[in-house]
Amino acid sequence: LGACNPFHHEPVTEVSRDANVNSRWRATLVTPAALVGAVQMNGTATMQPSRNNADTDFSVSIANATPGGLHPWQVHRGQCGADDGVLGSADAYRAIKVGDDGRGGATARVAMATPASGGYFVTVQASAANAEVVVACGNLAPPAQ
């Protein structure tokens, strides 16, 4: 009788969840107002502790970019428009390669603990040869407490 009971279920023995969900910083990337009309890139970025909690992992995704493009990107201290320097080594950030659909993404790992407070932002540059032109920027919002 118990085997035919539709309400009988085996107890859950393992729950899979993202341990970093409450420590993940998030940003929405948009094209700066000065470039609207010429470029209309958008995307998202995150900053979170790595699995070992000693390093920090970064990820960025962009859309509406020129297919085949390569875009350098970095995480900085400060806020969009008020740069206080790159977080970690600039060499840690590999360029975003844009696919045929105008989308691209990249990840980076920096040897430092994930900050608990402060201001941080993500920039995406036009190209390695034109790195002073920021085509997308987003302020990282701290995790909800």
Side-chain angles (χ1 to χ4, degrees), residues 1-8:
L1 184 63
C4 296
N5 183 348
F7 301 106
H8 175 75

Side-chain angles (χ1 to χ4, degrees), residues 60-104:
V60 63
S61 297
I62 59 172
N64 207 28
T66 302
L70 276 175
H71 295 280
W73 68 287
Q74 297 170 334
V75 178
H76 298 256
R77 290 177 187 83
Q79 299 290 302
C80 290
D83 190 351
D84 291 331
V86 175
L87 197 59
S89 167
D91 295 337
Y93 303 93
R94 290 188 180 177
I96 302 166
K97 183 173 172 133
V98 180
D100 292 340
D101 61 355
R103 297 179 180 276

Side-chain angles (χ1 to χ4, degrees), residues 15-32:
V15 176
S16 175
R17 68 182 183 93
D18 186 345
N20 288 326
V21 74
N22 291 327
S23 56
R24 184 176 298 142
W25 295 62
R26 299 175 190 277
T28 299
L29 305 175
V30 296
T31 295

Side-chain angles (χ1 to χ4, degrees), residues 33-124:
L35 293 177
V36 171
V39 178
Q40 202 63 40
M41 196 178 293
N42 58 62
T44 59
T46 62
M47 172 173 75
Q48 68 187 30
S50 66
R51 289 192 175 170
N52 67 13
N53 284 324
D55 300 327
T56 299
D57 288 339
F58 302 97
S59 68
V60 63
S61 297
I62 59 172
N64 207 28
T66 302
L70 276 175
H71 295 280
W73 68 287
Q74 297 170 334
V75 178
H76 298 256
R77 290 177 187 83
Q79 299 290 302
C80 290
D83 190 351
D84 291 331
V86 175
L87 197 59
S89 167
D91 295 337
Y93 303 93
R94 290 188 180 177
I96 302 166
K97 183 173 172 133
V98 180
D100 292 340
D101 61 355
R103 297 179 180 276
T107 60
R109 177 168 285 170
V110 173
M112 59 172 268
T114 303
S117 63
Y120 306 94
F121 68 101
V122 178
T123 60
V124 177

